[in-house]
Structures are given as structure tokens and as C-alpha cells.
Amino acid sequence: MTFKALMTGTALSLVAAAPAFADKADDTLRLAFLKELESVDNYYNSAREGILVTRAVWDGLLYRDPNTGEFKGNLATEWKWIDDVTVEFKLREGVTFHNGETFNADDVVYTVNYVTNPESAVKVMTNVSWMKSAEKIDDFTVRINLNAPFPPAEEYLASVVVMYPNEYYAEAGPTGMAVAPVGTGPYKVDKVEPGKLYELSRYEGYHDSPKGEAQIGKIEVKTIPDMNTQMAELFNGGLDFLWNVPADQAEKLAQMDDRFDVVNAQAIRVGYISMDAAAAVDPEGPMTKKKVRQAIYHAIDRQAIVDALVKGSSEVINAGCAPIQFGCDLSVATYDYDPEKAKALLAEAGYPDGFEIDFYAYRDRPYAEAIMGFLNEVGIKTNFNYLKYAALREKRTKKEVAISFQTWGSYSLADVSAITGEFFTGGDLDDAQDAEIIDWVTKAGSITDRDERQALYSQAHAKIANEVYWVPLWTYNVNYVMSKELSFVPTDDEVVRFADFSWK
């Protein structure tokens, strides 16, 4: 496949009018999301955009410094492990939710016991299923009980496990929280138009948190599902900040350094192709055959796509995890780009003339089209289905997707339990359903010995590679583009922390 073909459809489309930036006079930062949120409620969302809102609106008991990796108290001031499955927290006094409710142990107990109840059906159960329950010791002391030892517990308590107001949530539930969110975070939500607009403002009553107080008074987030439209808004002054800007567009904007600042940063997110190896979609489908999966791996020139499209600090990976995550073993079998071998494997699998199949994706359309181009060249005719994230996730849980291009940011958790533990433990999104891998990964998530955990994850990643349950693609990087009036320093975990924005 030629470089020119890879670049098709990625041309920068910008308006020619001189920029008229919305200055900082109204103290409102305007940015955009490409994807609609499944829900503003943290526990019923799995999209990166929702994670950004969560970090702004809610707090966890702990906070992980993105620069040092150090855990600090947030809604808790102290914590200690009573034993391998019990951790006790001293809660911060004087914290008030955005609606005036006082934060105390009742909120922690309610939140933990609600999200760990299977009937609550939270979106990503692996984020909370390691907890068994919470119990109140006194108004500002609480214990969280684990189902089994869980080494990355503090990582999760500092990010994906956030605390809700018990009285409000008991009445409003997920539906109410989705339209009128209430947290303790540095920003409160003033307006929600689902899938369209989110308006936040600085919470003047924010507690002494390591997150720091919000520096900008108001934040307006629009849903604009087309990057070229976002770019036009940026040029017209309707937006101040873009993220996940495609590499070719970011390169051109970087040349306009008198108008914009462009920054590239690494991300925990990885790309991969998942296939119906377990025959849940089609018992006789081509994805159930190992040689077909090997052929798909050999058919794709991953390095060419990284060089031509992904660019930045991204790199090709051979295992489905981010290199910076504990337990990620990249020293596994790989399958070099070899289209002739791919064709031979297809013939051996019973498809000498190839086959036709629906191919799904939800983001990075140019990357998906490049992947399909390589597959088409070896005889795998792909019918493209480009869906919104929530719609594709729903189809996958219903076992209606045989092959898809996916990405996963692991909620920015630096532990492979957040990716391997999500997709290879027998859940709805486990396309392998390999009993041996399920056993290894489950055990790795419940023992504290680091060497044993690493060994189990290495076994799992080795078998995933040998059986080609996934085709790992590349790590991601993020291009941030902002007006010259805005100050923001990105971190390598792909979390845009609204409280870190300020005006120059």
C-alpha cells in the first residue's frame, strides 16, 4: 500500500478567514468532544471523554500525582491496610458536595455498596468488582473490604472509583445523575444537553485537594463529531482547545505558531484488532480459524500506518497493553508484514479466494481505512461499518461483531489489570473465552507478589499472541492544539485535567 493511499481522506480542511479568538475576558474555556458520552454518570460511561468530566466533577478517596506517581489523600487524609483484603480510611472533614450535602462515611459506604452490587449493572464492572463492600466505623472513618487481595487497589481508588452523595443518588439514580451531576470536584455542572453540550463552572467551595483549585471560571464542552468542523471552530474563535488532533493536521497547525500552540504527548492508550475467536458471532466464521487470524496479522503493515498516519511518539507493539503498564510483556510472538504469507495462510484455512466480512470501527477512520486496505489486498474484502462508540460497544456485547478495530486507554491506570483484566476474563467483551487465560489473568489480579503477577500476565500475553486472539497495533500519542491565550501542560496518561488549565 502506498503512502499516498494511506493519506487519503486526511487532508486538512480549514476556513481561510483570519482568526478571531474568543479572548479570556469572559473567563470561559471552550473545547469539544468528538464522541457523545454514553452517560455523564461515571459508573455508566467507558469513553475517554467521560473520564475527563469525571476527573473534573468528582473526587476519589485518593489522588495519584501524574508527574511523580505518588498517591496522596484526596477525600481521605490517611489510609492503612488492616490486612490483605481490608483498607481503612480517615476521611477529610469539611467537604461539601455541589448540592450542599456534607461528605462523610455514609457516602463512601453507599457508593461502594451500590456499584459492587451486580444488579446495579455498572458499565465497566472490572473497575469495581475487586471490592466486596464498605463499612462505616464512625462518621469519618470507613473500611473497604476486598473480595481478594488486589494489588492495584490504590490506583483504582485514585481514579475510577469516585464518591457520590448518598442522599442525592438514592433519589436521582443513574438517570438523574446523568442530567444533573453532583460531585465534590473542582468544577460543578451547570447544564447538560446529552450528546450536545456540557457547561461547567468553578466550584468555589472546593476543598484542599491535591488536584488544586480550578483556575478558569467556566468551561463549555460541545460535542462536535467531525474534526474538520472542530478545526473551523478553532479558527473562528469558537473553540480554544482541541485534543486528539490527527498528526497531519497537527503538523500544519504547528507551522502557525503565531496563532496556536501544538503539543504532542504520549498516552497509555493502545490500538488493536479483536476477532471472534470464540465463535460467539458465527460458529463457522473465518475468525474462528487460527490461520485466518494469523493471516490478518501478516497482512497489515503496522509500521507503515504509524509512520504515515499515527506519527508522534507512537510505536508498534506486539502485546495488547501499554509498555508503561505493570505486567505488560512485549516479548511475545509477532507476525511480520508478509502479504504473500497471509494469502498462503488463507488458502490453507480454506479461503484460497479470500472472503467477505463486515469490519467495524468507532474512531480514527483513516487508520481503519488503511487497515482495511491492507486486508483487501490479500483477499479479505471488508465492508466498513463506522459507528459511534456506544453503538459499537453494544453490538459487541450482543455478539454481533466478528472483527473490529478498537482502542483502549485503560482509564489511564498503569497496570494491565485495566486492559488484560477487562478483555480476557470471560466477560461480554472477551472474544477469546480461553479458560486457561481467564484463570491466569484472574489469579494475577488477586495476588500481591509482583513476580508471581508478572509471570501470570506473561503467560497470558504469550498465549494471546500465539493464538492470535488480538492483533496488537500501536501505542497512541495525543496532539493538543490550543489558542495562544491558554496555558496547559499535558501529562502522559491522556487525562486532560480541567483544573490544570489557566490563562496566560
Side-chain angles (χ1 to χ4, degrees):
M1 177 170 284
T2 65
F3 179 86
K4 181 178 180 181
L6 281 173
M7 295 299 290
T8 299
T10 66
L12 181 65
S13 174
L14 299 172
V15 297
F21 297 123
D23 61 26
K24 56 189 179 184
D26 63 354
D27 199 19
T28 300
L29 167 65
R30 296 172 174 85
L31 54 93
F33 288 166
L34 278 169
K35 298 198 300 285
E36 292 183 17
L37 297 187
E38 299 163 274
S39 172
V40 180
D41 187 322
N42 171 70
Y43 294 106
Y44 295 91
N45 163 78
S46 61
R48 172 65 43 170
E49 288 80 356
I51 295 171
L52 307 193
V53 174
T54 290
R55 299 295 181 102
V57 176
W58 288 282
D59 289 309
L61 295 174
L62 307 179
Y63 175 78
R64 183 179 184 273
D65 188 309
N67 298 310
T68 66
E70 178 186 2
F71 290 106
K72 302 176 180 180
N74 192 359
L75 289 177
T77 56
E78 302 174 27
W79 67 99
K80 63 180 180 180
W81 287 92
I82 305 300
D83 53 43
D84 284 349
V85 292
T86 311
V87 58
E88 182 175 285
F89 298 89
K90 293 293 184 182
L91 304 181
R92 189 180 299 274
E93 299 185 35
V95 176
T96 304
F97 284 96
H98 300 154
N99 66 346
E101 283 188 43
T102 299
F103 168 74
N104 56 34
D106 293 331
D107 303 299
V108 178
V109 171
Y110 180 87
T111 300
V112 172
N113 291 343
Y114 176 86
V115 299
T116 55
N117 183 347
E119 294 182 2
S120 298
V122 303
K123 181 65 70 172
V124 183
M125 277 301 299
T126 52
N127 283 347
V128 297
S129 60
W130 54 275
M131 297 183 292
K132 181 179 181 180
S133 62
E135 58 181 314
K136 177 179 177 179
I137 306 302
D138 59 43
D139 282 349
F140 292 97
T141 307
V142 66
R143 289 183 178 179
I144 293 180
N145 305 304
L146 282 60
N147 288 304
F150 186 65
E154 292 172 345
E155 187 88 45
Y156 283 63
L157 289 166
S159 54
V160 294
V161 180
V162 296
M163 296 301 142
Y164 281 2
N166 66 315
E167 295 176 13
Y168 177 75
Y169 203 60
E171 179 180 347
T175 302
M177 188 66 93
V179 295
V182 174
T184 59
Y187 280 95
K188 59 186 180 71
V189 179
D190 297 324
K191 183 178 182 180
V192 173
E193 293 182 16
K196 296 181 180 179
L197 177 69
Y198 311 92
E199 294 182 355
L200 291 73
S201 62
R202 179 171 50 222
Y203 179 40
E204 302 296 346
Y206 193 48
H207 62 275
D208 183 19
S209 165
K211 285 184 178 180
E213 295 181 359
Q215 302 300 304
I216 291 179
K218 296 181 180 180
I219 295 180
E220 179 184 282
V221 184
K222 300 177 183 178
T223 301
I224 303 176
D226 176 71
M227 180 55 69
N228 283 334
T229 304
Q230 288 194 17
M231 304 291 277
E233 285 279 308
L234 178 73
F235 264 67
N236 288 328
L239 294 175
D240 305 291
F241 179 85
L242 303 182
W243 63 300
N244 276 326
V245 177
D248 61 317
Q249 295 174 323
E251 288 172 351
K252 293 181 180 180
L253 287 170
Q255 297 172 14
M256 307 175 190
D257 55 4
D258 60 328
R259 302 181 183 182
F260 308 108
D261 288 328
V262 179
V263 181
N264 178 267
Q266 295 179 353
I268 288 181
R269 181 174 302 276
V270 298
Y272 61 94
I273 294 172
S274 187
M275 298 161 287
D276 180 34
V281 179
D282 182 354
E284 302 297 328
M287 297 302 110
T288 64
K289 298 175 175 60
K290 180 178 177 178
K291 288 186 177 180
V292 170
R293 301 195 299 272
Q294 290 175 321
I296 289 171
Y297 209 142
H298 281 300
I300 302 167
D301 191 341
R302 298 173 295 157
Q303 189 63 56
I305 298 176
V306 168
D307 292 344
L309 296 177
V310 190
K311 298 185 179 181
S313 53
S314 293
E315 59 185 7
V316 169
I317 52 173
N318 296 325
C321 48
I324 68 171
Q325 291 180 303
F326 173 82
C328 184
D329 187 350
L330 299 174
S331 61
V332 298
T334 188
Y335 305 80
D336 295 335
Y337 173 56
D338 190 337
E340 293 307 313
K341 189 168 185 177
K343 292 176 184 178
L345 284 165
L346 288 174
E348 291 174 21
Y351 302 99
D353 299 319
F355 57 85
E356 184 173 344
I357 196 165
D358 289 338
F359 185 91
Y360 290 83
Y362 74 95
R363 63 175 285 168
D364 303 318
R365 187 177 188 123
Y367 306 175
E369 291 174 342
I371 291 169
M372 292 189 301
F374 284 119
L375 295 179
N376 292 340
E377 285 186 359
V378 300
I380 301 174
K381 181 182 178 182
T382 52
N383 302 315
F384 196 20
N385 293 266
Y386 192 69
L387 305 179
K388 292 181 179 178
Y389 174 74
L392 179 52
R393 185 182 176 95
E394 187 70 17
K395 285 185 73 67
R396 291 189 69 212
T397 60
K398 291 180 178 179
K399 308 303 180 186
E400 298 174 354
V401 178
I403 179 171
S404 60
F405 163 47
Q406 299 284 323
T407 78
W408 191 249
S410 294
Y411 284 84
S412 296
L413 296 165
D415 191 286
V416 296
S417 61
I419 183 167
T420 314
E422 170 69 12
F423 296 105
F424 288 95
T425 48
D428 288 340
L429 299 177
D430 184 346
D431 289 332
Q433 298 294 330
D434 186 305
E436 197 168 36
I437 293 175
I438 291 170
D439 181 58
W440 292 333
V441 176
T442 301
K443 285 181 180 176
S446 62
I447 56 176
T448 56
D449 187 282
R450 288 177 65 86
D451 290 339
E452 288 185 39
R453 291 189 75 217
Q454 180 65 69
L456 287 164
Y457 282 129
S458 292
Q459 284 180 284
H461 291 145
K463 188 171 185 182
I464 291 167
N466 290 335
E467 297 297 325
V468 199
Y469 291 138
W470 274 10
V471 176
L473 298 170
W474 47 72
T475 60
Y476 269 74
N477 66 85
V478 182
N479 291 304
Y480 303 90
V481 180
M482 62 198 85
S483 78
K484 301 296 287 188
E485 292 185 322
L486 190 63
S487 177
F488 175 74
V489 178
T491 53
D492 288 347
D493 56 9
E494 201 188 350
V495 176
V496 178
R497 295 169 174 84
F498 292 174
D500 288 350
F501 285 110
S502 64
W503 300 117
K504 292 180 179 177

